[in-house]
Amino acid sequence: MSKQIKLIWDFKGPNAEKTAEHHTIHLNDYLNTNSMDLKITGIEKLDDFQFIAFMVVEEVDMKTVRDRLKPHRGQVYNS
């Protein structure tokens, strides 16, 4: 099994939660349009004014997705 990478987009400010939620709609659209095997997306609260939106991709797909969607950062995903 290949490594899985969590690609992360950071959102800050009073509307961070809603913006992160909306961003996951676009991430899910990307996953469906491109027939990606993994369908893991979500948001996480870091504090009251900072949320992240994320998607998980196989390591083999990471560079293509990174170059197309421009995440702010990434890390190895552990489910």
Side-chain angles (χ1 to χ4, degrees):
M1 186 166 113
S2 71
K3 249 192 256 184
Q4 296 175 340
I5 307 298
K6 181 179 182 180
L7 301 175
I8 299 168
W9 291 262
D10 296 290
F11 299 97
K12 298 177 182 178
N15 298 317
E17 182 175 17
K18 292 292 183 192
T19 305
E21 287 172 354
H22 182 79
H23 194 72
T24 60
I25 293 169
H26 297 293
L27 297 177
N28 286 315
D29 287 346
Y30 180 88
L31 291 174
N32 292 326
T33 300
N34 292 283
S35 302
M36 304 290 284
D37 291 332
L38 289 177
K39 303 282 191 219
I40 302 171
T41 62
I43 68 167
E44 293 177 12
K45 179 179 181 176
L46 302 181
D47 64 45
D48 287 342
F49 292 98
Q50 185 175 5
F51 285 77
I52 64 168
F54 68 88
M55 74 185 297
V56 178
V57 298
E58 296 290 344
E59 185 176 35
V60 68
D61 298 321
M62 187 275 299
K63 287 183 182 179
T64 300
V65 175
R66 179 199 65 197
D67 291 349
R68 287 183 178 170
L69 301 183
K70 310 280 192 248
H72 298 129
R73 54 197 169 97
Q75 63 189 41
V76 174
Y77 179 71
N78 297 309
S79 53

